[in-house]
Amino acid sequence: MQLQEQRYYSPEEYLELEVNAEEKHEYIDGQIIQMAGGTPDHNQIALNLGGIINFLLKRQPYRVFVTDQRLWIPNRRILTYPDVMVVKTPLEFQEGRRDTLVNPVFIAEVLSKSTKSFDRDEKFAAYRTIPSFQEYVLIDQSKMHVEQYCKTENNKWIFSEYDDADVVLSLAAVPCQVLLGDIYDKVDFSVEE
């Protein structure tokens, strides 16, 4: 058995390839990884949350992005696409780019079986290296369950979890309150991922 040598790419090489790619890829410290396609429920949850937050933040100094906005995490050399991301204006971009942000205050990820461990551990650790980042929300797509992490000061985070449709999720990084039932509107838990 012959081992194939792994090729490592620079962020610039990745961005050149990604701009012309038909599918999305993440960049993790030299490696390019194709992103799996989302399920209808995954997309519905991201759209529901992003839409609610966007409406609640109208005329306020924030921009809300859902799934297609690239984020650069320089301390970990990661380029990724969070499911929902809120950025306080003005937008700050990766040096030399106008399509890759660096200053989110809030990120939400919709968990799937294949990504939930990575989203909880390595991805959250990477997000915590971003100076502006203050809040992380993980949303299970297979059952009603939301985990919330809020930064209180350097290196201190408060964890909360919610499982009831009538519970209000009060966001800490932005002035929003979201009913859990609204996040899961039109989601069919009887369908397997």
Side-chain angles (χ1 to χ4, degrees):
M1 181 174 168
Q2 195 173 12
L3 291 176
Q4 187 173 353
E5 192 173 315
Q6 177 72 41
R7 169 149 190 234
Y8 288 91
Y9 296 84
S10 71
E12 295 75 24
E13 289 174 311
Y14 158 80
L15 287 165
E16 188 175 316
L17 293 168
E18 186 69 0
V19 167
N20 299 313
E22 291 184 21
E23 55 283 308
K24 291 192 304 185
H25 302 81
E26 289 185 312
Y27 174 87
I28 301 175
D29 196 23
Q31 295 184 314
I32 296 175
I33 299 156
Q34 184 172 347
M35 296 176 67
T39 65
D41 285 340
H42 182 283
N43 287 304
Q44 186 68 56
I45 291 167
L47 178 64
N48 288 348
L49 181 62
I52 292 165
I53 293 172
N54 190 56
F55 179 78
L56 294 173
L57 292 177
K58 65 184 175 187
R59 295 185 201 83
Q60 295 188 46
Y62 297 96
R63 296 278 302 271
V64 180
F65 300 95
V66 179
T67 68
D68 283 334
Q69 181 56 60
R70 194 169 38 246
L71 171 66
W72 170 235
I73 308 169
N75 289 351
R76 296 295 171 92
R77 293 177 34 90
I78 293 175
L79 287 150
T80 189
Y81 297 87
D83 289 326
V84 179
M85 178 169 55
V86 179
V87 177
K88 187 167 178 135
T89 56
L91 300 179
E92 294 176 23
F93 297 95
Q94 179 186 12
E95 188 175 330
R97 307 290 308 182
R98 295 292 298 165
D99 58 358
T100 307
L101 297 173
V102 297
N103 65 320
V105 295
F106 170 91
I107 294 175
E109 295 286 3
V110 180
L111 301 177
S112 65
K113 286 179 185 174
S114 63
T115 65
K116 64 183 172 185
S117 292
F118 180 72
D119 287 344
R120 276 194 183 104
D121 298 328
E122 291 97 329
K123 199 175 245 188
F124 185 30
Y127 288 154
R128 290 193 310 264
T129 69
I130 301 169
S132 61
F133 181 59
Q134 300 171 28
E135 185 168 13
Y136 193 41
V137 171
L138 297 169
I139 305 164
D140 196 319
Q141 69 174 307
S142 62
K143 63 182 177 190
M144 191 168 293
H145 182 79
V146 173
E147 298 173 11
Q148 178 186 35
Y149 299 86
C150 302
K151 187 175 184 178
T152 59
E153 56 186 273
N154 279 345
N155 302 317
K156 292 193 179 187
W157 291 78
I158 294 176
F159 167 73
S160 304
E161 59 186 329
Y162 311 93
D163 298 292
D164 187 327
D166 296 324
V167 167
V168 173
L169 175 64
S170 293
L171 302 183
V174 291
C176 294
Q177 294 188 325
V178 183
L179 194 64
L180 241 63
D182 290 342
I183 294 172
Y184 286 98
D185 184 49
K186 298 183 180 82
V187 172
D188 182 0
F189 293 118
S190 68
V191 178
E192 286 289 318
E193 279 184 56

